Amino acid sequence: MPTYDELKVVGDAAWTAVEKPARPLFVVSINTSSIAAGARETYAALEALAASGGFDVMQTGDDGMSWAEPIVQVRKPDGQHILYGGVTQDKVADFAVAAAAGVVANLAIGVIGGAADGIPKLWDLDWAKMQVRWLMHNCGVIDPENLEQYIGRGGYAQFVAATQMSRDDLIELVKGSTLRGHSGSFFSTGTKWSFLKDATAEPKYLVCNADEGDPGAWVNRVIMESDPHSLIEGLLIGAYATGATHGWIYLRDEYPLAIERMNKAISDCLERGILGGDALGTGVNFTCEVVRGAGAYVCGDETGLISSINDERGMPRIKPPFPAQSGVLGKPTNVNNVETYACVTALMRVGADTYSTVGTEANRGTKMFTVSGDVGRTGCVEVPFGMTVDELLAGIGGINDGLAFKALQQGGPLSGLLPAAVAGPLRLEPEPFRELGTGMGGGGLIFLDDRRCVVDLNVMMAHFLEDESCGRCTTCRIGNQRMVEIFERTSRGEGRGEDVAHLKSLDASFQYSNCFHGTLSPTIMRNTLQHFREEYDIHLNEHRCPAQVCEGLVKYVVVGNSPALAEAAAICPDHIAAKGVQPNMDGRCSRGGACVEVAPDDVAVVDRFDGLIPLREIAPADVARAG
Amino acid sequence: MPDNEATLEIQHLIREFKPADGDLMGALHAVQHHYGYVPKMALKVVARQLRLSEAKVYGAATFYSEFRLTPPPETLIGWCSGLACRLENGHGIRKALETELGVGMGENTADNKVGLHFAQCNGTCEYAPQVWVNGRVVGSLTAASTVKLVRELKK
């Protein structure tokens, strides 16, 4: 097997070919988000033109700019390096010729290397300026399926360096860095590793939790699709520190590209002797494999995940024993998530001293967040711990359409929801969130503008929590069913004043559940009851939905007769055929308000109980979306 | 295909999976990848190969929402249940799908041509609200464009 130095020579050459290409190199981001935007078609179109155009094409992962996909970077032999956005297939023919020869100003987002007149430097943009890219060092930079490029960018040197330290020193370094589980648990990684190191039974195992199920969180997907070797390197460092010999990466089924790239990375490592025994001559004997999940959110709980690997239904169990005593196959096991393992690689690369210069006293370093909802720049960013929510929001372009920031739903269905006035000034680290009875979670941040309804949001969350409850604890299984019933009823206009007391009583009984799925299920309900009580009262007592969102609280009435109305009737005739409210339908909508989208001037959304009193003006954005 | 032949085929599909090795998920995926679903008889073959009770295999196959025990429809529409989609009328998209297809979530049309699947957020939230048509994201939908999409698929 080759030594590290031999691999490094090949790796340096591979990376130099990218950094200083002999002819223009078009680098296309291929990741789940860009594929949705048509990046594969862009790639194919560029490839077809490459020979005649005198340029080369290569893929990279995800630089976090979902808002600009499909993204193509063009690297030139003279060092000029420009990132272009929105390069859809139909633009490729003109773009390829122009970008190979010069600069395409109308698609350029920023200059990464060299200079180009009139185009800003990428890292001067607000979106980029706030970021520190340690975890995302290779994201959108290397070809994630190319081990040589990873090594050329300094990969696997961290592992080799770690093995030159004593295992105790290494664990002390990780502890001292303040690194804590980035999944949302924020338990000291070094301490967790010391439990496994001190366990007496053999063999020992590592598990990587890649079952990132929180809606709106795709941090781990970005890492696995863009830099899979940074995860494997983190696992190898963990294996050396703890004495583990085998690892499982439990990867959710919803991420097929991440599964493909992790498997490719593992098989490349096996081939080069990085995995599978005496890794790079260090004596570390470790290998790992991907276990493909199958759509169970509760497997994100470490004991649920271990059950799933152990040929069981993925049901969390009672602790103790803790995984470090008895985990996979009954052996000592350490579970961390993708970002945490990758963070060890990043920590070793930047060095403990530099690492400690960023972040806050309690939380050094950086955290990746995925931002979505009513914001301008959906995507993934990496920022220092301690940045405020308002600062981050400004960097991602603020709330869409100049609307007001109503609330932040952070960290998935178990973490919480805070109103803008409370969330805005919060520092992004776990403690300030905990003090408010919420969690920061694993990185998902969903921003809501002031058109959104918190009762509707609870309907969605309660359904999710009910559906994903494993069913073991009565408090969680039945508690979530009751929560669904109450919110469903409320959104149909059958809420009752006493439901508030019912919800509070449910909250108390949830606390007797075994795992976090149960104990944290009522968090969003509790947060919204505390901060949006008025909205609850209007729904429960007045049977109105001020946002005109709740299905059973609005009805559709024909008020005009422009040509658009016939078009709307062809899409959904339910209310239009009768020129008014269909009594047998109770005014309810069967096709999601399609008629209003198509004929906004002819169909009015009105309060179901108060008659023809429009609750709000139809926003211009809604009109623009129609048809 | 006669039963014993099918058994041999499944045995071949899962030949590398071992008992007590964390292989149940892999074995079920291998079967589903080949057939598009997990046929009932496969539960028995998997159980035998991994030395598990059939009840345990059935329990796992039905616990995870991505395993299906019936043949998939020709076109599977995965409806994203995530919050970013919900904010953009995702629930209305669901109503439009169900009404237009005449089936509920998790069901297929009588001719097995189109089916609806409750799917989880995969982080392509830039294109909310969205569905996945046989795995391909169809995003930035409106209720009206959803109706048109379904009518096209039903043709």
Side-chain angles (χ1 to χ4, degrees), chain A residues 287-599:
Chain A
T287 187
C288 61
E289 62 185 288
V290 169
V291 175
R292 185 174 189 146
Y297 178 70
V298 77
C299 289
D301 176 278
E302 63 178 9
T303 60
L305 193 158
I306 288 169
S307 299
S308 185
I309 299 176
N310 281 341
D311 295 348
E312 306 267 357
R313 280 174 283 162
M315 292 166 76
R317 61 159 177 75
I318 293 166
K319 294 187 267 194
F322 291 93
Q325 301 152 328
S326 175
V328 177
L329 307 176
K331 298 297 179 190
T333 302
N334 176 75
V335 185
N336 287 127
N337 84 336
V338 175
E339 193 185 353
T340 309
Y341 283 118
C343 201
V344 175
T345 309
L347 163 68
M348 296 295 292
R349 193 185 57 249
V350 301
D353 290 342
T354 306
Y355 192 84
S356 69
T357 60
V358 162
T360 64
E361 192 67 34
N363 298 281
R364 307 286 188 190
T366 60
K367 174 83 188 78
M368 289 165 70
F369 292 96
T370 49
V371 295
S372 63
D374 302 313
V375 292
R377 296 191 163 170
T378 301
C380 181
V381 295
E382 180 182 356
V383 297
F385 275 113
M387 173 174 284
T388 68
V389 170
D390 276 339
E391 285 164 354
L392 186 139
L393 179 58
I396 57 169
I399 299 289
N400 275 338
D401 304 326
L403 292 164
F405 173 23
K406 175 172 178 170
L408 171 71
Q409 199 284 300
Q410 80 283 359
L414 299 176
S415 290
L417 182 141
L418 293 168
V422 177
L426 276 193
R427 283 176 286 115
L428 285 161
E429 58 180 331
E431 291 80 3
F433 285 87
R434 271 188 205 146
E435 282 162 21
L436 292 165
T438 66
M440 187 179 83
L445 298 177
I446 305 178
F447 291 86
L448 278 63
D449 70 35
D450 60 359
R451 294 171 304 162
R452 308 310 179 191
C453 169
V454 297
V455 170
D456 180 67
L457 184 132
N458 272 289
V459 172
M460 178 253 152
M461 288 297 178
H463 268 292
F464 181 92
L465 295 162
E466 181 209 24
D467 190 55
E468 299 295 342
S469 168
C470 84
R472 188 194 291 277
C473 304
T474 316
T475 46
C476 173
R477 184 181 69 244
I478 310 286
N480 274 312
Q481 287 176 3
R482 290 289 93 83
M483 206 151 74
V484 167
E485 280 170 18
I486 293 175
F487 282 116
E488 277 280 338
R489 225 166 9 81
T490 306
S491 76
R492 285 200 307 267
E494 293 158 25
R496 308 164 195 153
E498 65 264 30
D499 281 335
V500 170
H502 290 154
L503 289 170
K504 286 183 176 167
S505 137
L506 276 177
D507 189 352
S509 68
F510 268 117
Q511 302 314 317
Y512 292 94
S513 311
N514 167 45
C515 84
F516 286 137
H517 191 88
T519 57
L520 299 179
S521 275
T523 312
I524 289 182
M525 174 262 283
R526 189 190 317 128
N527 293 162
T528 50
L529 254 182
Q530 182 191 345
H531 297 289
F532 297 96
R533 178 61 189 267
E534 200 191 341
E535 227 175 297
Y536 273 82
D537 288 341
I538 293 173
H539 280 82
L540 292 171
N541 301 322
E542 296 176 31
H543 305 297
R544 297 177 68 233
C545 175
Q548 292 191 347
V549 171
C550 285
E551 208 191 325
L553 292 175
V554 296
K555 63 183 175 184
Y556 298 82
V557 178
V558 175
V559 293
N561 196 16
S562 84
L565 190 64
E567 205 189 314
I571 297 288
C572 180
D574 281 356
H575 299 114
I576 297 164
K579 294 275 184 219
V581 181
Q582 289 244 23
N584 62 344
M585 289 201 55
D586 200 17
R588 291 239 232 123
C589 172
S590 63
R591 287 182 185 80
C595 59
V596 186
E597 290 171 357
V598 179

Side-chain angles (χ1 to χ4, degrees), chain A residues 48-63:
Chain A
L49 295 170
S52 61
F55 58 84
D56 292 303
V57 188
M58 153 189 147
Q59 70 165 354
T60 185
D62 190 342
D63 47 23

Side-chain angles (χ1 to χ4, degrees), chain B residues 29-131:
Chain B
H29 274 300
V31 172
Q32 176 151 309
H33 182 75
H34 185 81
Y35 295 102
Y37 70 111
V38 181
K40 199 159 173 248
M41 68 171 308
L43 300 174
K44 196 173 285 185
V45 184
V46 169
R48 206 176 304 141
Q49 171 88 9
L50 300 182
R51 308 238 168 85
L52 298 168
S53 73
E54 215 180 312
K56 215 165 183 184
V57 177
Y58 177 78
T62 50
F63 180 84
Y64 302 95
S65 56
E66 294 301 320
F67 292 131
R68 48 170 59 242
L69 301 186
T70 51
E74 227 170 273
T75 304
L76 185 65
I77 303 180
W79 170 76
C80 180
S81 61
L83 180 54
C85 286
R86 179 88 186 194
L87 296 178
E88 296 289 342
N89 197 25
H91 185 65
I93 304 296
R94 174 179 176 163
K95 304 264 319 182
L97 290 167
E98 290 178 341
T99 303
E100 206 54 40
L101 285 168
V103 301
M105 192 53 71
E107 297 174 354
N108 303 339
T109 53
D111 58 3
N112 214 31
K113 216 167 165 186
V114 189
L116 260 187
H117 180 62
F118 188 95
Q120 302 293 350
C121 176
N122 72 353
T124 49
C125 304
E126 174 71 13
Y127 314 102
Q130 62 191 276
V131 295

Side-chain angles (χ1 to χ4, degrees), chain A residues 120-357:
Chain A
K121 295 233 180 277
L122 184 75
W123 295 100
D124 285 345
L125 302 179
D126 288 342
W127 177 84
K129 215 163 40 182
M130 67 176 176
Q131 301 196 46
V132 175
R133 292 241 170 159
W134 287 348
L135 281 153
M136 294 178 74
H137 171 68
N138 284 325
C139 293
V141 179
I142 61 167
D143 176 351
E145 297 183 31
N146 189 311
L147 171 61
E148 284 72 28
Q149 287 184 18
Y150 179 74
I151 293 173
R153 287 268 291 171
Y156 291 110
Q158 289 67 235
F159 163 64
V160 174
T163 59
Q164 282 154 9
M165 300 171 71
S166 79
R167 293 164 66 191
D168 286 326
D169 285 351
L170 175 59
I171 288 181
E172 282 310 312
L173 184 145
V174 176
K175 272 189 199 166
S177 74
T178 76
L179 172 59
R180 295 185 290 165
H182 280 202
S183 64
S185 67
F186 292 98
F187 187 86
S188 163
T189 304
T191 305
K192 217 173 188 182
W193 285 14
S194 69
F195 294 155
L196 187 67
K197 176 178 169 287
D198 295 340
T200 47
E202 300 273 348
K204 298 174 186 179
Y205 296 131
L206 294 183
V207 167
C208 173
N209 185 344
D211 195 45
E212 184 175 42
D214 290 332
W218 66 95
V219 164
N220 296 324
R221 194 196 86 198
V222 170
I223 295 173
M224 292 184 289
E225 286 182 357
S226 311
D227 198 12
H229 288 285
S230 69
L231 166 57
I232 296 176
E233 187 166 7
L235 283 163
L236 273 167
I237 296 169
Y240 169 68
T242 62
T245 53
H246 194 94
W248 285 271
I249 299 167
Y250 190 90
L251 218 169
R252 71 195 288 248
D253 195 51
E254 287 83 354
Y255 289 174
L257 183 65
I259 292 172
E260 192 185 310
R261 287 186 173 158
M262 282 313 311
N263 277 328
K264 167 87 165 70
I266 290 170
S267 79
D268 285 350
C269 285
L270 286 167
E271 206 174 283
R272 311 297 208 294
I274 296 171
L275 292 173
D278 192 15
L280 300 169
T282 59
V284 175
N285 184 348
F286 179 77
T287 187
C288 61
E289 62 185 288
V290 169
V291 175
R292 185 174 189 146
Y297 178 70
V298 77
C299 289
D301 176 278
E302 63 178 9
T303 60
L305 193 158
I306 288 169
S307 299
S308 185
I309 299 176
N310 281 341
D311 295 348
E312 306 267 357
R313 280 174 283 162
M315 292 166 76
R317 61 159 177 75
I318 293 166
K319 294 187 267 194
F322 291 93
Q325 301 152 328
S326 175
V328 177
L329 307 176
K331 298 297 179 190
T333 302
N334 176 75
V335 185
N336 287 127
N337 84 336
V338 175
E339 193 185 353
T340 309
Y341 283 118
C343 201
V344 175
T345 309
L347 163 68
M348 296 295 292
R349 193 185 57 249
V350 301
D353 290 342
T354 306
Y355 192 84
S356 69
T357 60

